[in-house]
Every structure is written in structure tokens, then in C-alpha cells.
Amino acid sequence: MDAPSDDELVAAVARGDEAACRRLMERHLPRMVALARRMLGNQADAEDVAQEVFLRVWTHAERWQPGRAQFGTWLHRVATNLCLDRLRKRRPENIDDIPEPASSDPQPDENLERRELAERVEAALQALPERQRLAVVLSHYQGLSNIEAAEILEVSVEAVESLLGRARRQLRDTLATERDDVARIMRTGA
């Protein structure tokens, strides 16, 4: 027996079928949390956004029009808007006020290096302007095509490609500068 499509499940949700809503969540929740975490840099906020996304699925399912867009694209658009709203409401943080992450048990050197690299990449990603960060998250982390990302961002494919190009240059420059700073510190001991 074939699994019901997203459109069939949304139609069932519109009729009040909680099990259909759970199935949609099982299919799409991890991607919504991942998108929000990459955009917001915070797991708790990401989970809040994902919860709000599925609350909107539940409350607006009767408005869903199959064939107008893919359900997954609509979910990404809702999550994107919620993330952008949260980012706009945040006050700028002073990087010096952010506490260093608490260290757990010592990890082998290889795992430590990977984690540190992931943290540097995450910090560089968070430093990007919102639209560039969103383009990178949709394209690289969510695995969407430029066409899908353009639909979610409500821009042309060329605009997505431009955002991605600028973001990649900024990431490359940020991470290269950091690498040069670390090398200088290691050489001079300062």
C-alpha cells in the first residue's frame, strides 16, 4: 500500500485528522528544525519555529490548494518567514557577551577538531546577512534546488545564484582570515 501524499494528508488535516498531522510532522519536522537552527543558531528557537510551522499547518490546512505549490516548498516558506521575523526582533548581541560553550568530557583530537571547525563554519554562517544565510541554508543544508529556493525566497533564480555567490565569497574570506589569524598566533605565541 502506497503512503498517502502530502496533499492527501493536508486534506485529512483540514478534516481534523490528527493522525494525518502527525504523519506530516514525521515527514517534515526534522527539516524544519534543521532550517530554523541554521538560520537562528539556537536549538530551542528552532524547535519553537518548527512547532509554529505545524501549528499553522493544523490551523490553515483548509486553505491548502493542491497543485499550486509543493507542500514542502510551502512549509519552507512558512519556516523562513518565521525565522526572519525572529531575527528582526532580536537585538544585536555583543559577541564578547556570549558565553563560551561548556566543555563536556574530553574528546579525541579528531572529534575536537571537527567540532571546532563546525563551530567556526556555524559562526561564519551566522555572520552572513539574513538573505545570504537563508540562500545557503536552503541550498546547501536543506538540499533544495535554486529554483525551489527562489520560489521560497520569492526572488528570481538569478537572484538566488547571486546571493549564494556573495555568501560563498564572504564565508571563504571569513574562514581564510580566521585561519590566518590562528596561524599568526601559533607562530608568535600571542
Side-chain angles (χ1 to χ4, degrees), residues 133-172:
R133 182 179 345 143
L134 189 52
V136 169
V137 169
L138 292 172
S139 177
H140 294 286
Y141 292 103
Q142 296 299 105
L144 299 179
S145 70
N146 288 357
I147 294 169
E148 292 168 314
E151 187 175 333
I152 291 166
L153 291 169
E154 298 177 330
V155 298
S156 68
V157 173
E158 292 80 13
V160 168
E161 291 168 352
S162 176
L163 288 167
L164 287 170
R166 290 194 312 267
R168 288 179 187 126
R169 282 190 297 279
Q170 179 66 35
L171 289 170
R172 187 173 40 250

Side-chain angles (χ1 to χ4, degrees), residues 65-81:
Q65 298 174 357
R68 190 160 177 232
Q70 288 185 9
F71 179 72
T73 302
W74 178 78
L75 278 181
H76 277 86
R77 183 73 201 144
V78 171
T80 296
N81 287 340

Side-chain angles (χ1 to χ4, degrees), residues 22 39 45 47-48 72 80 87 89 109 129 141 145 161 176:
R22 277 193 298 278
M39 284 301 298
D45 287 345
E47 290 171 1
D48 288 347
T80 296
L87 288 170
K89 290 178 185 174
D109 287 346
Y141 292 103
S145 70
E161 291 168 352

Side-chain angles (χ1 to χ4, degrees), residues 92-107:
E93 293 184 48
N94 182 347
I95 193 126
D96 295 329
D97 294 339
I98 299 173
E100 290 294 323
S103 176
S104 60
D105 295 332
Q107 298 286 324

